[in-house]
Amino acid sequence: MPRLSEVIAELDALWPPERAESWDAVGTVCGDPDAEVTRVLFAVDPVQEIADEAVALGADLIVTHHPLYLRGTTTVAAGHFKGRVVHTLIKQDVALHVAHTNADTADPGVSDALAGALDLRVTGPLVPENNLGRICELDRPETLADFAARAAKRLPATAQGIRVAGDPAMTVRRVAVSGGSGDSLFDAVRAAGVDAFLTADLRHHPVSEATQHSPLGLVDAAHWATEWPWCEQAAAQLDEISDRHGWDLRVHVSKTVTDPWSSHHTSPGAPN
């Protein structure tokens, strides 16, 4: 069985920590470098449900996309929810490793996994300077409504579902995708000349301005749903590494929905 340090070295080769944004917090949060690793769990969020799942599974390592402590901390006391995660992991000898913006800009990275989940053909990066996002083509043209239905069918279900801005009947041939929050990329999307943009966390004013600026179709999915496909891609990458080294790792992907929204209600609207 490999040591944790050996597994982390391979993960860092997939997602070099130096490729992370300066504000990010990636790398190993807790874990003994000399501890043996037999079972690994991939997930989007390092929350208590995932820590408990790892313990029940007998995992020695959790790899998440989102950091546990993005802005640092002065305490890991178990009275705080993040401290409770740390206590659970350390008591049960479970390591935690984070690949965030360094996984966003990897090749393949988060947006490649999103494109793959939607069965799109990647033709290049949306932002070449940092390899962020992907420009893709559909096998055949379809309406924006059909493209949104494709996303709803192929991405994990969440309370939010899929929101659409633009003419549902418009024809979509080329699309841009970006896992996670993407409304800062509208300039790059417009420059790419695509018909539609699928991402998450789209806000009112950027969407309103984008739809006034051009007939671009917008498809807004839940943040967690756009990044979960990366877990499957990353698990497959680690499986291949394990086979190459003869490690015989057991690699799992959590299907626990950690999207924070729990329900959706359609408003009948205010009375006239």
Side-chain angles (χ1 to χ4, degrees):
M1 290 296 106
R3 293 178 300 162
L4 175 64
S5 59
E6 295 176 284
V7 177
I8 296 304
E10 293 289 348
L11 299 183
D12 283 346
L14 290 176
W15 316 299
E18 61 270 18
R19 289 184 64 90
E21 296 286 346
S22 59
W23 50 263
D24 205 0
V26 302
T28 305
V29 178
C30 63
D32 180 352
D34 293 324
E36 287 190 345
V37 176
T38 61
R39 199 176 294 268
V40 182
L41 178 66
F42 282 85
V44 175
D45 298 301
V47 293
Q48 189 64 43
E49 294 95 323
I50 299 301
D52 292 340
E53 181 179 350
V55 171
L57 186 65
D60 310 291
L61 169 63
I62 302 172
V63 180
T64 64
H65 183 51
H66 290 151
L68 179 63
Y69 288 107
L70 183 58
R71 293 176 177 84
T73 187
T74 59
T75 177
V76 292
H80 301 272
F81 72 94
K82 292 188 177 185
R84 189 166 67 254
V85 171
V86 174
H87 276 250
T88 299
L89 298 179
I90 292 177
K91 283 183 176 181
Q92 300 295 328
D93 292 324
V94 182
L96 173 62
H97 187 78
V98 174
H100 191 211
T101 53
N102 50 328
D104 288 333
T105 58
D107 187 9
V110 171
S111 293
D112 293 290
L114 176 58
L118 298 172
D119 199 24
L120 303 174
R121 182 167 64 86
V122 174
T123 61
L126 175 61
V127 185
E129 295 78 11
N130 59 4
N131 201 39
L132 188 64
R134 292 294 182 266
I135 298 172
C136 309
E137 292 183 352
L138 280 66
D139 287 340
R140 59 183 63 83
E142 61 188 34
T143 65
L144 178 61
D146 286 340
F147 179 65
R150 175 200 295 240
K153 179 180 179 181
R154 294 174 179 265
L155 293 180
T158 62
Q160 171 186 315
I162 303 294
R163 301 189 299 178
V164 180
D167 180 2
M170 69 175 289
T171 300
V172 174
R173 296 180 178 85
R174 298 178 70 242
V175 301
V177 301
S178 181
S181 304
D183 61 18
S184 65
L185 300 176
F186 277 135
D187 287 344
V189 170
R190 283 190 286 265
V194 296
D195 304 305
F197 178 37
L198 185 149
T199 187
D201 297 341
L202 292 180
R203 296 170 295 162
H204 175 89
H205 292 296
V207 169
S208 178
E209 292 172 4
T211 55
Q212 294 298 315
H213 194 280
S214 70
L216 178 69
L218 299 175
V219 180
D220 181 38
H223 190 119
W224 175 84
T226 64
E227 293 179 333
W228 185 84
W230 172 80
C231 296
E232 291 195 321
Q233 175 181 276
Q237 289 176 288
L238 183 56
D239 264 333
E240 189 277 327
I241 291 168
S242 174
D243 289 344
R244 178 160 27 100
H245 289 296
W247 284 348
D248 197 27
L249 289 177
R250 301 293 185 265
V251 181
H252 306 265
V253 175
S254 174
K255 291 181 169 57
T256 301
V257 178
T258 55
D259 182 78
W261 301 104
S262 59
S263 63
H264 173 83
H265 298 276
T266 302
S267 171
N272 293 326

